[in-house]
Amino acid sequence: EPEVTQTPSHQVTQMGQEVILRCVPISNHLYFYWYRQILGQKVEFLVSFYNNEISEKSEIFDDQFSVERPDGSNFTLKIRSTKLEDSAMYFCASTSDRSSYNEQFFGPGTRLTVL
Amino acid sequence: DQQVKQNSPSLSVQEGRISILNCDYTNSMFDYFLWYKKYPAEGPTFLISISSIKDKNEDGRFTVFLNKSAKHLSLHIVPSQPGDSAVYFCAASDVAQGAQKLVFGQGTRLTINP
């Protein structure tokens, strides 16, 4: 069964460093998402991406964050200068069609720890 | 932002009995509702969904009920099995308006006791 994959599973970084979280969405999906879950809190939407453009983003997704689809398979989330409060699980998701009632499929997540 | 609420942080059910997980929402524009299951160190796994034109959707042991007037949905699992022990998230979306994000509740930790 096709699945969303994410690397690394755990990333430890120093405050102020840049990190790139990587995702490989399901191959025939066209819509890609990043969510995060701070420990003990809700899963929160960060950004959605379609046709090489951001289509929606939340207030959390400020100019420290960026997303990219550098090739036909990878989808990345970059945090330019990490802060302590960026420590969270980051989930990538994808879906085939956002205009109809289709579920989003989630990857296993990357645990980001900012020291 | 409390648009989707799961008021029970935890629920304990005997194996073989029915598990009922509840979810309330405040945004009347939501028209698509989903339940996800999450094990530790894994991503959310889709379980079942319902659109606002229906009031019930069933898939095997899982049934979701939607009460639009009360802005309430519930997930019924029957019979409950030990493998059902996980955190269950309710999520909602406004598909008709083209919104793409899922808005999640806080989750309910379900424990099935043998």
Side-chain angles (χ1 to χ4, degrees):
Chain A
E1 186 174 327
E3 58 182 16
V4 177
T5 59
Q6 291 185 242
T7 54
S9 57
H10 191 187
Q11 174 87 49
V12 181
T13 189
Q14 295 290 324
M15 189 169 58
Q17 295 296 304
E18 173 183 289
V19 294
I20 297 176
L21 309 183
R22 301 179 194 281
C23 168
V24 179
I26 294 172
S27 62
N28 63 341
H29 285 185
L30 301 175
Y31 300 88
F32 314 115
Y33 309 85
W34 284 101
Y35 292 81
R36 78 172 186 190
Q37 185 182 27
I38 295 171
L39 186 64
Q41 298 187 22
K42 292 185 181 189
V43 176
E44 302 173 287
F45 169 79
L46 291 178
V47 66
S48 58
F49 190 86
Y50 168 69
N51 199 25
N52 284 320
E53 289 184 345
I54 290 174
S55 42
E56 188 175 357
K57 62 182 180 178
S58 71
E59 293 175 353
I60 303 167
F61 195 89
D62 61 22
D63 56 9
Q64 292 298 309
F65 291 86
S66 62
V67 289
E68 192 178 32
R69 188 154 162 84
D71 53 42
S73 59
N74 290 285
F75 178 51
T76 62
L77 173 70
K78 181 193 290 186
I79 309 175
R80 288 189 183 82
S81 177
T82 50
K83 303 188 275 284
L84 294 176
E85 55 265 36
D86 293 327
S87 294
M89 282 291 291
Y90 287 80
F91 296 106
C92 173
S94 69
T95 193
S96 56
D97 182 356
R98 73 169 173 88
S99 63
S100 62
Y101 297 90
N102 287 322
E103 63 272 21
Q104 294 179 17
F105 293 86
F106 284 77
T110 293
R111 178 172 299 283
L112 176 65
T113 301
V114 182
L115 303 176
Chain B
D1 181 355
Q2 293 286 315
Q3 293 190 74
V4 178
K5 286 189 280 191
Q6 294 174 256
N7 291 317
S8 298
S10 64
L11 176 67
S12 187
V13 174
Q14 203 72 21
E15 181 180 0
R17 306 294 288 267
I18 184 171
S19 296
I20 300 176
L21 297 100
N22 293 302
C23 177
D24 297 294
Y25 61 96
T26 56
N27 187 343
S28 58
M29 299 303 292
F30 287 148
D31 56 2
Y32 185 46
F33 305 89
L34 309 90
W35 285 94
Y36 283 85
K37 174 180 179 180
K38 188 179 179 305
Y39 293 117
E42 294 185 12
T45 301
F46 170 75
L47 266 180
I48 193 169
S49 63
I50 189 167
S51 71
S52 58
I53 61 172
K54 294 185 174 182
D55 54 18
K56 177 183 175 181
N57 189 27
E58 192 171 353
D59 184 2
R61 297 186 298 114
F62 302 93
T63 304
V64 55
F65 295 91
L66 175 62
N67 182 335
K68 289 188 290 295
S69 60
K71 295 191 179 67
H72 177 84
L73 63 154
S74 60
L75 174 68
H76 293 210
I77 307 172
V78 56
S80 301
Q81 299 173 354
D84 296 330
S85 295
V87 178
Y88 288 78
F89 291 96
C90 168
S93 184
D94 180 0
V95 175
Q97 294 297 314
Q100 302 180 41
K101 64 181 182 183
L102 294 179
V103 180
F104 282 84
Q106 303 95 315
T108 296
R109 181 177 302 279
L110 175 66
T111 302
I112 305 301
N113 301 306

